[in-house]
Amino acid sequence: VVISGEKVHIWRAWLDQPDRALIRAASLLSPVELEHARRGSDVVFRRRVFAHAALREVLGRCLDVPPHAVRLTRGRFGKPRLAQFHQGRERLHFNVSRSGDTCLIAVAANDVGIDVERPDGRGIDLDAFATRFFAPDERAALQQVTGRRKLLTFFRLWTLKEAFVKALGGGLNIPLHAFAVSSSSERPRLTTYRDGDVNAWTLASPPIEDRFIAAVALRRSPDSEGLSFVVRDVEPSRQAPGFRARRTGGTPSR
Amino acid sequence: MTMPMTKRIMTLAEREAAYTPDPTDVAASQLTAFMRYCEDETGRSFPDQAAFYRFSVEEFRLFWLLLTRWSGLAFSGPLDPVCTDDACERAAFFPNLRLSYAENVLRSPAGADDDQPVLTARHVSAPTEHLTRPELRSRVVAFSAALTELGVVPGDRIVAIVGNSLETAVAGLASTAVGATFSTASPEMGVMAVLSRFRQLTPSILITSFDEDGHGLPVSWSDRVVEVVTGLPSLDAIIALDEEPAPSGIDLPVHRMSQLVNSHADPRDAVDWHRFPFNHPLFILFSSGTTGPPKCIVHGAGGTLLEHVKEHRLHTDLRPTDTLFFHTSAAWMMWNWQLSALASGARIVVYDGPIADPETLWRVVSEERVTVFGTSPPYLKLCQDVGYSPRRELPLGSLRAVLSTGSILRDGQYDWVHDQVGSVPVQSISGGTDIIGCFVLGSPNLPVYRGESQCRSLGLDVQTLRSEEQNGSLSIGELVCSNPFPSRPLGFYGDTDGTSFHDAYFDQNPGLWTHGDLIEISDEGSARLHGRSDAVINVGGARIGPAEIYRVLEDMPEIRDAMAVEQRFESPETGRIVLLVVLHERGTLDADFRTLIRREVARNASPAHVPAVIAEVEELPVTHSGKQSERAVRDMLEGIPVRNVAALRNPGSLAAIAGEVERADEQSDGQVALEGGLPLLEEIRDAWERVLGIAPIGLDDNFFDLGGTSLKALSVLQELSDHFGRELPQSTLLEAPTITTMAALCRDMSVDDYSALVLLTPGSGGQPLFLVHGVFGEVFEFQQLAARLRHEGPVYAIRARGLDTRQEPHTRVDEMATYYLEHVRRAQPHGPYNLIGFSFGGLIVFEMAQQLRAAGEEIHFLGLLDADLHEACLPLRHRLPFQLKEFVRRGFGAARAPRTKILPFVLELVKRVIPALPYERKPLNFPPLLLRVQRSAAQALKDYRPAPYPDEATFFRAEVRRSGYCDPLPVWFRVVEGGLTVFPVPGGHAEILHEPQVKELAEALAGALARS
């Protein structure tokens, strides 16, 4: 896989795999990753293992090395990045997001952030949440809608914001009200950014699956056309529901 | 907590048709032809479909009789009586008629071209297959002969775990041809789900495939097939649709469909179909309800066939020139529905692959020249959301109708189809597994209104049942069918006395089929569906049977009785689960018990089952027959009149329940709890447990290890900020990811708006340890070190001012030191102090130590973690070689660069030799607020000159040195006059704080602390 230009490569991985796959996946992880995974509860452990394994699978493909040979380290604020070991591949940027049993891995040639969420408003007072954490424009956008649309708008905004702060590399260390995104138009975008140039970033909400809302943020290179993305599965055979009997040799057919 | 209740006021009167049929099409429709036929036969006049519908339900016997004659179905025996009873529950249609479903589906209709394909199977990775009617027929005949030879007799149950392929159609038709019933499950279903359905049927044959790389199987299929086979002891044999070897562990005979078909092939295309009674069982479908295992719904051959022929020919106008593509799995009732379309002469297309992109199904529509395309609202929504326009991308000239079912189609989707697909009617059809057909659906003769189904199903007296108390302006009610209809199921398999069947459909409103949907019917006869009315809970689009919650609660001795209902707000998709519990005397529903319930439900059912509200009530409403009434509670919670109040034995219980739910709501909002003054730790724990949906949570469990996400972290902050009336910083949970540390942070917050101190680990007693931030000012990078240290006393981190927008960062080291000491002294008024600084923080702790000593305090430990110094501090004999080396390193690159680029490097050198000139390193890709702190820190670093320090210090030195940074050790050796101990630590500068190197650092640090 060649990672270049303004294209964000998004891989999907499913994290609800059986025990047998768990052992296989865990064998790909570094001891540090495995220990990090073990600190989680049972469910978190499994998901971390499958997510790490999927990340290694993907980066291995991009770097053309076996998954276990990918060397990862963390940046200053804990954002995982490729280790110095992979010299010359500094331009390979990636970011991972998990939600429930789904994991998305974004790979790009520039700083990239991704977020996926299942729109579940239980336990969140959307307006109060927005008042506290969102920018005024976003709050206003949210107030214009009600019901299901409000929930979806909230999650579109949230995933865009989360993807952006993840692309910056600081995560929640960046005040969420210091910038605003717009999800209403066809193209999501960064509308205000107190501390930087809104044109230095492109945002998108790639459709992943009906249950989920996802967003990516990419630092754009000068004179770029805009962001495009491609979504694929880490393991093509685990794509989506459906089942096919293999064609049989002896049966006549046209 | 109050949330607005659903407003269901619609104006059906002032609406504009989204599609109006062409009068010539109306004139040519089969519905019109049938209406004319009925006029001729009865001598009556049917000016429009509404009049004809009235006739079809008022004289349903005549209607079905005429339909059977008109449609030319193959049958034998007298048509009399048409129907044995006027009560839907007891009625049997055409008891003296005999027919074969397979014969009617497979026989060539008059005028059809037998050389044209009638079944087209599309695959993702294999070529498309086509079968003509004679080819399909001969395969079905051969396979049914094989089934008979395998010992299958009429009444046997054949089960299949299959995708929607050509072979599945053959298997299904052949099974019915020999009089066996055919039941399907899809391979994605869990083993337990499959067994809970199939085991009830004691099947003799399992049809499946062993293909491991079948699309979309998340787990090893061969493992699961062995489990399924083991769980079905009644099986005599397995028939594989493919040639893959059977997995080990199966000791039943395994036959291959291809071999069976080949060895039983009969070249003559003259079939002697065995005709069974009209009400011979045909398909058994499954419905997962509110109690007990899934219901096995038995559908009869004649009823299914007749209903489908009616829906296909009259409502969908399917004929031999049509191609129907209804995207469905083989386990959904729409599979049976689309299979029957062969009986109307239409060709069907099946597709067994995934929806890889929005174009997937439209491509099938375009390439196969599909005329009627069936799909679901989510797929249409997907296309709409990504801005995919089928009309722009593909030729869709053959398409004449789009059918949609499965969930409610929103108004805007009608417009989308019109704009992006073409001027074709959108026919929203709705019915269900229970009747293997539709209550409301399309019509070739009627206009389409947004959000509505065009009409009710002919012959079925579909009505809106409203409660008597209900305000007349509200037109929504329970969907009931008041007359007998042929596709009413024969019953539930295994329900010998019919009790379960009665309870499922006829108990609620005696004499009426109550379907469990909410419906609104316009004056014109079009209909709008409003979701489920029964106890099946729909949360976030997932259907949840409360039985699964009850099963979990059964194991709790404190609970005497329980009821879970869905409470909907605004729209059907944003419901929540309300759980009512009746406790035995010894039980109390306190916070602990609530969390226990939530945890057990999450663990044993699923997180989606976890109730949002748990309320304790005295009693649950029961009907006179002693059945709990979930719908009464639901109506009450939704603020609409309770429709079955007359049927309740204890209607008074409802008001009490309303009060309790409201109280529980307030509690879960936390206001009551706050006034009650729960201890801080419990307050936080409560918020965590609510947000994470698990309990109990230990005081030192890590938020993110428990599955916490950023959104959940902020939700916790949201709750707690409200409680404390103060803003907790956004990064709180990154810095304090345990309940204990968060409590400490919150306590700090309540003293000061902003505290430089962050408690990382609380310790068990002993002197505190202070860790001072690096050049970016943040401290959560100390998290791993603090965890590894296992320091006896509390470990505090000190972070920079200016990380939020309210304050400016410091630009001088001595100012930082003074400011931080104010905070340090709040936590530890007097020495001896343990101070450790990382990188730039080394300078700060050095200065803090100087200031503390000047104030007469004792320093127990001064640790410098790879502490940086500006190169200007270096003595000249060290500085010059460094600067020269840097010049060469950078200049070397410059020498190879074009000449014009050399100047910057010369300037760079000049800047470096003269430290007063500002210079900046390569800009970093960090958040601006951090960069602001970093710039201030860089300034402070450059300006600070360490003064001689008479005490001792310990230096932890990263073994991997960074290029471009000077080695500060010569300076530290000079200024630390009491003696500098140096420990090398493996790894680079930033890496020593992270796993795995942090382990080495923590060990070295703990050792040094212990020794000093």
Side-chain angles (χ1 to χ4, degrees), chain B residues 307-625:
Chain B
E307 176 65 22
H308 288 177
V309 164
K310 181 199 80 186
E311 293 184 10
H312 291 144
R313 294 187 63 178
L314 303 186
H315 288 278
T316 320
D317 207 24
L318 285 182
R319 44 180 102 205
T321 47
D322 274 311
T323 297
L324 170 73
F325 170 44
F326 208 112
H327 183 244
T328 173
S329 82
W332 190 23
M333 154 251 152
M334 291 315 296
W335 177 81
N336 311 73
W337 192 87
Q338 54 97 43
L339 183 65
S340 301
L342 291 169
S344 299
R347 161 182 173 241
I348 62 173
V349 177
V350 296
Y351 170 64
D352 62 1
I355 295 179
D357 57 59
E359 194 167 272
T360 306
L361 302 183
W362 295 111
R363 212 164 30 239
V364 176
V365 171
S366 177
E367 291 175 11
E368 299 301 337
R369 308 188 61 76
V370 168
T371 60
V372 178
F373 170 45
T375 182
S376 58
Y379 178 66
L380 295 176
K381 183 175 172 301
L382 170 82
C383 300
Q384 188 175 0
D385 284 354
V386 301
Y388 175 76
S389 169
R391 166 186 233 163
R392 205 171 54 221
E393 305 294 334
L394 298 166
L396 296 169
S398 342
L399 190 65
R400 66 165 179 80
V402 173
L403 271 53
S404 168
T405 190
S407 54
I408 296 169
L409 198 62
R410 304 269 161 226
D411 294 14
Q413 294 183 289
Y414 287 70
D415 295 325
W416 182 85
V417 171
H418 183 270
D419 296 342
Q420 306 301 334
V421 179
S423 182
V424 295
V426 179
Q427 302 184 329
S428 178
I429 68 176
S430 179
T433 302
D434 316 79
I435 61 161
I436 204 164
C438 303
F439 282 120
V440 294
L441 69 175
S443 163
N445 294 6
L446 293 174
V448 177
Y449 295 103
R450 287 170 192 81
E452 297 171 18
S453 301
Q454 285 170 286
C455 62
R456 284 168 283 183
S457 208
L458 287 165
L460 275 64
D461 193 3
V462 177
Q463 298 181 10
T464 312
L465 190 71
R466 275 163 286 177
S467 63
E468 285 160 22
E469 305 88 337
Q470 200 169 302
N471 188 317
S473 67
L474 225 52
S475 50
I476 297 167
E478 184 87 47
L479 190 166
V480 295
C481 183
S482 67
N483 68 343
F485 52 98
S487 72
R488 192 216 67 205
L490 304 175
F492 292 157
Y493 191 83
D495 176 33
T496 41
D497 61 356
T499 314
S500 298
F501 186 64
H502 173 86
D503 288 350
Y505 305 113
F506 298 101
D507 181 59
Q508 204 172 315
N509 301 294
L512 304 176
W513 171 285
T514 304
H515 196 61
D517 276 341
L518 290 174
I519 190 175
E520 181 182 20
I521 298 170
S522 75
D523 296 340
E524 295 90 337
S526 62
R528 201 180 259 266
L529 267 301
H530 290 274
R532 296 292 294 174
S533 71
D534 64 12
V536 173
I537 296 170
N538 188 324
V539 172
R543 274 182 68 140
I544 290 169
E548 286 163 276
I549 299 175
Y550 300 152
R551 261 200 292 283
V552 176
L553 302 181
E554 271 166 21
D555 294 335
M556 298 187 179
E558 299 89 347
I559 296 182
R560 199 172 70 198
D561 217 343
M563 177 186 287
V565 292
E566 176 190 2
Q567 186 177 15
R568 277 181 301 196
F569 307 102
E570 305 248 339
S571 78
E573 290 93 339
T574 52
R576 60 173 193 172
I577 300 176
V578 174
L579 177 68
L580 307 176
V581 292
V582 182
L583 297 181
H584 286 291
E585 272 166 26
R586 57 197 149 89
T588 35
L589 185 68
D590 53 13
D592 281 350
F593 193 44
R594 279 201 175 91
T595 52
L596 177 77
I597 292 174
R598 291 200 170 101
R599 184 189 64 200
E600 290 300 309
V601 169
R603 192 175 288 167
N604 297 312
S606 88
H609 288 79
V610 173
V613 176
I614 306 176
E616 183 186 350
V617 297
E618 291 277 312
E619 56 174 346
L620 298 170
V622 288
T623 60
H624 291 295
S625 54

Side-chain angles (χ1 to χ4, degrees), chain A residues 11 25 32 76-77 87 107 112 119 190 202 204 231 242:
Chain A
W11 274 269
V32 180
R76 193 91 184 201
F77 295 94
Q87 277 188 5
V107 183
V112 68
L190 191 60
T202 33
V231 182

